Amino acid sequence: MTTAATSWIIFRRSMRYTLRKPAWVVFGLVQPMLYLALFGPLLNRISQAPGFDGGNTWRVFVPGLLVQQGLFSAVFVGFGILSEIRSGTLDRMRISAAGESGLMLGRMLRDAVVLTAQAVLLTLGALVAGLRAPVGGVLAAFALVTVVGLAVAGLAYGLALTVRHEEAYGQLVNALMLPAMLLSGVLLPLALAPHWLSLLAKANPVSHVVTAERALFAGEFGSSDTLVGVAVAAALAVVAVWFAARAIRRSS
């Protein structure tokens, strides 16, 4: 069976499972919604600070929340594949005619779709709170965060298939995600950071994606920040697909 055919079958199977329990998609929005409701209003008094350009603070805050959602929503899908390993579901799929790469890609596509739906719901909540941004820029930002979700899901599946233990995977995820978030400026722009912290952040690929998301929310489609962020996200997605496919092949 070709990779494309396997991916489509696994995507439909995974989506049916998700749609049977849509509450989990909503529960995944609890944390960013709390940030939106309890942290966002605090930014109104610092709209003149560096990085805010004296404009709508929500246009700086919400893109960061979208990337944060992409990081934390997608990375925990690794626990799902570990559950399928324990139950023997993944092994039964692998001894069929299914293409091994498609077994991962189909799941990653489902995760990207779920993340996009969460991003739409989060942005609608931000519009009620006071967000104002060009429609085209917001739609482009959704596309970018979908690519980020695809990349993080691939990384999550690859790591889970490598460590194969929930305890080790949980510790590894925390060790990787916390510095990635803190050095990306998801909550506050890195223009507020001291010089040494800004230099560290530039080595973090997620920071470039956050900058690109904010540029898109400002309608800056052709800026260097946008182009760099899109290129970084695309590169991460390619590497993640390769890593997940390699991990499932090696796990046999």
Side-chain angles (χ1 to χ4, degrees):
M1 188 180 293
T2 64
T3 298
T6 301
S7 300
W8 176 242
I9 292 171
I10 296 300
F11 171 75
R12 288 189 301 169
R13 172 187 177 273
S14 300
M15 282 303 301
R16 283 198 299 269
Y17 179 81
T18 300
L19 293 174
R20 289 193 191 105
K21 300 180 179 181
W24 293 112
V25 178
V26 178
F27 287 155
L29 280 170
V30 171
Q31 185 184 43
M33 283 297 188
L34 287 176
Y35 274 109
L36 195 67
L38 303 179
F39 188 81
L42 300 178
L43 302 177
N44 292 329
R45 292 183 176 272
I46 58 172
S47 61
Q48 302 301 321
F52 288 99
D53 298 325
N56 191 312
T57 55
W58 296 102
R59 210 162 57 194
V60 175
F61 183 51
V62 173
L65 282 185
L66 293 181
V67 176
Q68 183 191 49
Q69 182 69 12
L71 290 176
F72 284 94
S73 176
V75 78
F76 285 106
V77 299
F79 288 105
I81 201 73
L82 288 173
S83 175
E84 293 193 55
I85 292 173
R86 298 270 186 230
S87 66
T89 302
L90 187 61
D91 285 336
R92 289 193 293 272
M93 290 181 179
R94 291 175 59 182
I95 63 174
S96 68
E100 288 185 328
S101 298
L103 293 177
M104 292 293 96
L105 188 56
R107 288 173 170 83
M108 292 165 62
L109 291 173
R110 184 278 311 269
D111 300 329
V113 169
V114 170
L115 175 59
T116 304
Q118 291 175 329
V120 171
L121 293 174
L122 178 60
T123 305
L124 290 176
L127 287 172
V128 175
L131 171 69
R132 297 296 179 266
V135 175
V138 172
L139 294 178
F142 287 162
L144 180 57
V145 81
T146 300
V147 175
V148 173
L150 189 71
V152 177
L155 175 63
Y157 287 129
L159 290 176
L161 288 167
T162 301
V163 300
R164 301 180 73 87
H165 293 284
E166 286 84 352
E167 296 84 359
Y169 178 72
Q171 294 176 5
L172 183 59
V173 163
N174 286 329
L176 291 175
M177 288 298 107
L178 184 59
M181 186 188 74
L182 294 177
L183 289 173
S184 63
V186 291
L187 298 180
L188 293 171
L190 289 169
L192 298 171
H195 182 64
W196 65 270
L197 188 58
S198 297
L199 291 178
L200 281 177
K202 288 180 180 178
N204 178 15
V206 182
S207 68
H208 298 287
V209 177
V210 173
T211 301
E213 284 280 314
R214 287 173 175 151
L216 289 172
F217 265 67
E220 300 171 3
F221 298 97
S223 69
S224 59
D225 289 336
T226 300
L227 297 178
V228 170
V230 170
V232 168
L236 287 175
V238 171
V239 172
V241 170
W242 169 82
F243 178 56
R246 180 176 179 271
I248 194 171
R249 286 194 298 267
R250 290 173 65 90
S251 66
S252 61

